[in-house]
Amino acid sequence: MEKIQCICRMRDLMKALSELETQLEEAYGVTLNEAMVLCSVGSETVSAGDITACTGMTPSHTSKTIRSVEDKGLLSRKLGEHDKRQMYFLLTRKGKNCLGRIKEKGVNVPEWLASLFSGEETPIE
């Protein structure tokens, strides 16, 4: 593939992701990264490192996104039982409701992105 084609495809990907994020914000009040954090936590209690590993964000970006999700009342933190320096995160009732609505109602995945998911066993929600 020519290098310029790669850049053009990345442009199309970014455009589709932006469209997806706009839908998430309008329908559920969360950004794409915030939704990924909600999905990463789910019904578990996880560390920031777990969220970083699951989302692929940098630790710094994960920290900022966690703070944003906390500020929206969707996530809470608790100290580790054995190591009080360790922080763990879990969804609040509001966070569980938001994630549940996203799973139930989903979003309209832009056509360009939908083609990437063809052949998946689980539906895109």
Side-chain angles (χ1 to χ4, degrees), residues 63-92:
S63 179
K64 290 174 187 172
T65 306
I66 286 171
R67 172 58 68 196
S68 177
V69 177
E70 281 181 301
D71 289 346
K72 291 180 178 183
L74 304 173
L75 192 68
S76 64
R77 64 176 64 207
K78 70 176 193 171
L79 290 174
E81 293 178 16
H82 301 291
D83 183 351
K84 300 296 182 193
R85 296 171 296 175
Q86 182 67 43
M87 251 341 130
Y88 291 94
F89 301 90
L90 60 152
L91 296 183
T92 62

Side-chain angles (χ1 to χ4, degrees), residues 2 13 21 26-28 31 38 45 49 52 58 64-65 76 84 89 93 106:
E2 288 182 42
L13 173 61
E21 182 164 54
E26 289 175 356
Y28 306 106
T31 66
L38 295 178
T45 300
T52 297
T58 64
K64 290 174 187 172
T65 306
S76 64
K84 300 296 182 193
F89 301 90
R93 180 173 312 198

Side-chain angles (χ1 to χ4, degrees), residues 89-101:
F89 301 90
L90 60 152
L91 296 183
T92 62
R93 180 173 312 198
K94 185 177 176 182
K96 289 176 185 176
N97 288 340
C98 181
L99 182 59
R101 285 192 335 268

Side-chain angles (χ1 to χ4, degrees), residues 7-73:
I7 292 170
C8 291
R9 285 189 179 178
M10 293 303 287
R11 176 204 59 211
D12 294 342
L13 173 61
M14 295 302 293
K15 189 175 169 183
L17 288 171
S18 177
E19 185 180 325
L20 181 64
E21 182 164 54
T22 297
Q23 286 185 53
L24 282 167
E25 288 178 309
E26 289 175 356
Y28 306 106
V30 294
T31 66
L32 181 56
N33 285 333
E34 291 168 347
M36 291 191 313
V37 167
L38 295 178
C39 288
S40 298
V41 176
S43 61
E44 304 293 319
T45 300
V46 299
S47 69
D50 295 332
I51 295 170
T52 297
C54 192
T55 61
M57 290 188 278
T58 64
S60 174
H61 196 174
T62 300
S63 179
K64 290 174 187 172
T65 306
I66 286 171
R67 172 58 68 196
S68 177
V69 177
E70 281 181 301
D71 289 346
K72 291 180 178 183

Side-chain angles (χ1 to χ4, degrees), residues 12-24 27-28 32 35 102-120 122-125:
D12 294 342
L13 173 61
M14 295 302 293
K15 189 175 169 183
L17 288 171
S18 177
E19 185 180 325
L20 181 64
E21 182 164 54
T22 297
Q23 286 185 53
L24 282 167
Y28 306 106
L32 181 56
I102 293 170
K103 286 181 176 181
E104 178 185 329
K105 296 180 181 179
V107 291
N108 294 323
V109 178
E111 188 176 322
W112 198 93
L113 286 175
S115 66
L116 298 176
F117 297 109
S118 62
E120 266 197 359
T122 55
I124 301 168
E125 297 180 344

